[in-house]
């Protein structure tokens, strides 16, 4: 006898209802933990992470993000929120002063927050990751042999090409230490919780594969020896770079794409229908990491001196040789033998998605390095554009702000270029951890679209105007008219 699902009418909860999602998102944001802060860093408190929740009511997540919009404000906000929801599954404790943070601890793991997050999460996942379905299509008749040959080719090609765009950007930066720190900060979001997303696939009952995956997790956790746990080794790298070592100290300085990559692995690990996709993704990650870690170790020595502790990177050059091989021989090949070649498209999809997201993150990082380096040049573009606004040749929409000393604008991005103009007072325009450009009265700067920035006021009061200029290059060209 067949049992059809019992339908309650009306449904107790309609998870497809956008308005329900929206209301839950706004309510999720109504927590002390997520409000704006007056400090750039979060000091040893893994529960506090600003989400700019006052903006939630203005954001539209009803249609999935397109690839060209991946670095918009909507995306940054969705990524910050989604990572917070994912990490409510993990045990996070501060290094010290737990008692003072106990209220935050209870709030972070509260039933209220978890329940709201459960409604919000699938919407944000759909919003952020649906573009991958369009970007990547898996075609052709694949077999276990052709898959093996394809993956082998990939590993060989990495061995041949020694270039790494992110490392080149750091070494070519006018402020190499800052660029290197910005890079370490991006890694920290993931590496201080290293293998937590992987741990999501450890529980259950799925035969020898489970034990093989467990071996990789044990390696990541240093066989229970805390000093050799990968996240402990990464703390030493952070210390070598002069950075704080507690999770999410630099929450405000994560780029959208870094959050996206971190969320991607959590997404695959959390949704067990994507288990085979996860295998493809970690094969890609473990194999790529062998080579990028060698480059990262060289970069760290070049920037911070030969003496710095880069065991994290050198250890990965070694261990990820094994992990890459283990993922293929002990996970992917046996999975194909047991579960059939029908799982190949999912494995390939994970492999290609992880590669694409890695490339996007690399480009975003390089663009942020240039953006920080170019700030003086972008400041020099202010006078000609502002003159056109004053003369009426350009008529962009504008918003004026009056802020007191110490007022901090939490880092964010804009979806088009903006011109910041200081009417009175002094602003420190911030483009990264401990990096800013001073803007005095009468001065200003072009804020490029998608580039992370924040600000802090350094006078009794500051009045400034933000002009939404769209594309600054068009504003500079003589052909520009009243089109704005
Ligand atoms: Fe590792
Ligand atoms: Fe590994
Ligand atoms: Fe801004």
């Amino acid at each position: 006898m067949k049992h059809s699902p019992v339908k309650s009418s009306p449904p107790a909860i309609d998870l497809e209802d956008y308005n329900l999602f929206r209301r839950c998102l706004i309510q999720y944001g109504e927590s002390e933990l997520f409000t704006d802060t007056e400090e750039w860093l979060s000091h040893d408190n893994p529960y506090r992470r600003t989400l700019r929740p006052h903006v939630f009511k203005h954001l539209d997540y009803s249609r999935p993000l397109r690839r060209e919009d991946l670095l918009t404000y909507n995306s940054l906000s969705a990524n910050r929120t989604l990572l917070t929801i994912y990490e409510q599954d993990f045990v996070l404790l501060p290094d010290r002063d737990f008692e003072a943070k106990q209220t935050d601890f209870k709030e972070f793991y509260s039933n209220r927050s978890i329940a709201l997050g459960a409604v919000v999460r699938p919407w944000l996942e759909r919003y952020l990751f649906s573009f991958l379905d369009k970007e990547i299509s898996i075609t052709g008749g694949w077999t276990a042999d052709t898959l093996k040959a394809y993956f082998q080719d990939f590993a060989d090609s990495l061995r041949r090409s020694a270039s790494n765009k992110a490392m080149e950007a750091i070494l070519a930066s006018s402020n190499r230490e800052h660029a290197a720190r910005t890079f370490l900060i991006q890694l920290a979001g993931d590496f201080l919780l290293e293998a937590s997303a992987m741990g999501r696939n450890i529980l259950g009952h799925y035969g020898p594969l489970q034990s093989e995956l467990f071996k990789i997790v044990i390696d990541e956790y240093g066989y229970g020896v805390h000093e050799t746990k990968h996240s402990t080794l990464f703390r030493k790298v952070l210390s070598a770079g002069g950075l704080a070592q507690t999770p999410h100290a630099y929450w405000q300085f994560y780029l959208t794409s870094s959050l996206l990559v971190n969320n991607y692995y959590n997404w695959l690990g959390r949704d067990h229908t994507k288990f085979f996709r996860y295998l493809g993704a970690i094969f890609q990650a473990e194999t790529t990491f062998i080579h990028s870690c060698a480059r990262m170790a060289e970069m760290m020595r070049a920037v911070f001196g030969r003496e710095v502790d880069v065991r994290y990177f050198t250890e990965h050059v070694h261990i990820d040789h094994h992990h890459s091989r283990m993922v293929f021989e002990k996970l992917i090949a046996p999975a194909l033998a047991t579960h059939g070649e029908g799982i190949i498209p999912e494995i390939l999809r994970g492999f290609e998605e992880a590669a694409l997201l890695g490339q996007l993150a690399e480009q975003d990082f390089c663009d942020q390095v240039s953006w920080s380096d170019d700030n003086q040049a972008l400041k020099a573009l202010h006078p000609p554009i502002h003159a056109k606004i004053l003369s009426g040749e350009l008529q962009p929409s504008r918003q004026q702000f009056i802020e007191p000393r110490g007022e901090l604008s939490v880092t964010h991005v804009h979806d088009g270029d903006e011109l910041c103009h200081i009417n009175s007072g002094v602003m420190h325009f911030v483009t990264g951890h401990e990096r800013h450009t001073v803007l005095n009265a009468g001065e200003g700067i072009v804020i490029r679209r998608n580039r992370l920035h924040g600000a802090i006021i350094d006078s009794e009061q500051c009045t400034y105007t933000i002009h939404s200029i769209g594309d600054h290059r068009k504003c500079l060209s003589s052909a520009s008219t009243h089109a704005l």
Side-chain angles (χ1 to χ4, degrees):
M1 186 181 138
K2 258 192 169 175
H3 292 272
S4 50
V6 181
K7 281 204 179 138
S8 61
S9 154
I13 179 169
D14 181 2
L15 294 168
E16 296 305 312
D17 175 6
Y18 180 75
N19 265 320
L20 171 72
F21 154 74
R22 199 174 161 274
R23 288 192 341 257
C24 287
L25 175 68
I26 291 166
Q27 201 177 333
Y28 181 84
E30 287 165 358
S31 164
E32 269 286 296
L33 301 179
F34 306 141
T35 51
D36 276 7
T37 145
E38 292 302 305
E39 292 189 66
W40 294 114
L41 304 192
S42 152
H43 300 285
D44 190 23
N45 186 331
Y47 319 116
R48 291 209 166 232
R49 30 185 95 193
T50 176
L51 302 179
R52 300 182 92 229
H54 54 285
V55 186
F56 282 172
K57 56 181 177 293
H58 304 296
L59 304 179
D60 182 0
Y61 290 123
S62 59
R63 265 186 302 277
L65 204 56
R66 296 172 307 169
R67 179 174 174 167
E68 55 270 34
D69 299 328
L70 273 182
L71 304 179
T72 54
Y73 182 74
N74 262 25
S75 174
L76 173 65
S77 178
N79 273 299
R80 282 174 171 170
T81 307
L82 185 58
L83 188 63
T84 303
I85 293 170
Y86 282 141
E87 292 193 352
Q88 288 173 312
D89 293 341
F90 301 145
V91 179
L92 297 169
L93 292 173
D95 282 3
R96 49 187 67 83
D97 297 332
F98 175 71
E99 246 170 71
K101 297 156 193 168
Q102 212 167 0
T103 312
D104 292 354
F105 165 74
K106 286 187 179 151
E107 163 72 4
F108 189 72
Y109 296 115
S110 67
N111 283 332
R112 169 196 165 279
S113 192
I114 303 281
L116 292 165
V119 177
V120 169
R121 178 184 47 74
W123 278 89
L124 295 182
E125 290 170 336
R126 196 172 349 174
Y127 175 74
L128 289 172
F129 297 118
S130 295
F131 84 97
L132 290 167
D133 293 337
K134 279 203 191 125
E135 287 297 316
I136 290 160
S137 54
I138 308 294
T139 53
W142 288 83
T143 64
D145 288 339
T146 56
L147 182 73
K148 184 174 184 178
Y150 181 60
F151 281 1
Q152 191 60 53
D153 263 7
F154 166 71
D156 292 344
S157 73
L158 285 180
R159 229 168 280 137
R160 282 194 303 272
S161 97
S163 76
N164 182 312
K165 276 169 69 181
M167 295 309 104
E168 285 161 17
I170 293 170
L171 296 173
S173 168
S174 59
N175 187 337
R176 301 197 313 173
E177 287 81 3
H178 179 263
R181 285 192 189 104
T182 304
F183 185 73
L184 296 180
I185 286 170
Q186 306 315 307
L187 300 184
D190 186 1
F191 290 7
L192 289 174
L193 278 80
E194 189 155 331
S196 295
M198 187 180 265
R200 293 176 183 278
N201 277 321
I202 287 305
L203 304 183
H205 180 101
Y206 58 95
L209 294 180
Q210 188 175 12
S211 303
E212 294 298 336
L213 185 64
F214 195 58
K215 282 183 196 153
I216 299 183
V217 173
I218 298 173
D219 277 346
E220 305 288 348
Y221 280 85
Y223 287 82
V225 178
H226 190 66
E227 280 305 298
T228 57
K229 187 174 184 277
H230 289 181
S231 63
T232 310
L233 296 180
F234 192 69
R235 284 175 72 121
K236 301 216 165 86
V237 174
L238 289 172
S239 149
L243 292 168
Q245 294 133 53
T246 51
H248 307 320
Y250 302 98
W251 177 260
Q252 290 199 51
F253 297 108
Y254 295 148
L255 299 178
T256 308
S257 62
S258 311
L259 292 161
L260 185 71
V261 170
N262 196 348
N263 280 324
Y264 176 73
Y265 287 98
N266 274 292
W267 177 53
L268 296 195
R270 202 187 174 289
D271 176 352
H272 298 310
T273 65
K274 299 188 171 57
F275 178 72
F276 298 115
R277 199 183 300 195
Y278 179 73
L279 296 185
I282 57 166
F283 176 75
Q284 151 73 230
E286 300 278 357
T287 312
T288 312
F289 214 44
I290 301 167
H291 305 279
S292 46
C293 277
R295 300 285 93 77
M296 290 175 203
E298 288 162 14
M299 177 281 288
M300 285 294 292
R301 291 190 183 115
V303 174
F304 296 109
R306 310 287 324 158
E307 305 309 313
V308 292
D309 187 338
V310 289
R311 264 180 303 159
Y312 177 89
F313 297 122
T314 48
E315 167 70 7
H316 277 88
V317 175
H318 160 75
I319 198 82
D320 282 351
H321 267 295
H322 296 290
H323 289 169
S324 165
R325 194 176 36 78
M326 282 160 80
V327 173
F328 191 82
E329 287 173 14
K330 305 289 186 185
L331 288 164
I332 293 179
L336 289 170
T338 310
H339 303 294
E341 292 183 339
I343 62 172
I344 292 180
E346 270 295 284
I347 294 172
L348 272 170
R349 171 161 284 285
F351 176 83
E352 300 295 348
E353 288 180 350
L356 175 65
L357 291 171
Q359 285 157 17
L360 289 168
E362 187 172 58
Q363 190 58 52
D364 188 19
F365 171 75
C366 294
D367 290 346
Q368 185 74 15
V369 171
S370 318
W371 151 246
S372 272
D373 284 353
D374 288 350
N375 256 233
Q376 287 307 323
L378 290 161
K379 191 175 165 182
L381 295 181
H382 162 268
I385 298 177
H386 195 248
K388 288 190 182 189
I389 291 171
L390 286 180
S391 73
E393 188 183 338
L394 295 172
Q395 297 181 343
S397 63
R398 72 187 70 189
Q399 245 189 312
Q400 203 180 68
F401 300 85
I402 303 169
E403 292 177 357
R405 181 185 288 283
E407 173 111 353
L408 181 150
S409 299
V410 167
T411 57
H412 57 279
V413 295
H414 298 288
D415 299 349
D417 292 348
E418 311 263 332
L419 184 78
C420 172
H421 173 78
I422 310 297
N423 305 88
S424 68
V426 183
M427 172 194 279
H428 286 188
F429 182 75
V430 170
T431 56
H433 169 53
E434 290 185 342
R435 192 157 187 199
H436 68 265
T437 300
V438 178
L439 300 177
N440 292 303
E443 297 180 333
I445 193 164
V446 169
I447 308 174
R448 301 211 55 181
R449 70 187 281 265
N450 295 349
R451 286 299 114 223
L452 192 69
H453 65 280
I456 191 159
I457 302 308
D458 193 39
S459 52
E460 279 325 297
Q461 189 175 291
C462 175
T463 307
Y464 63 96
T465 308
I466 300 289
H467 302 271
S468 299
I469 55 174
D471 181 345
H472 76 278
R473 286 161 306 188
K474 283 191 190 151
C475 298
L476 288 165
S477 71
S478 51
S480 61
T481 58
H482 291 258
L484 290 164

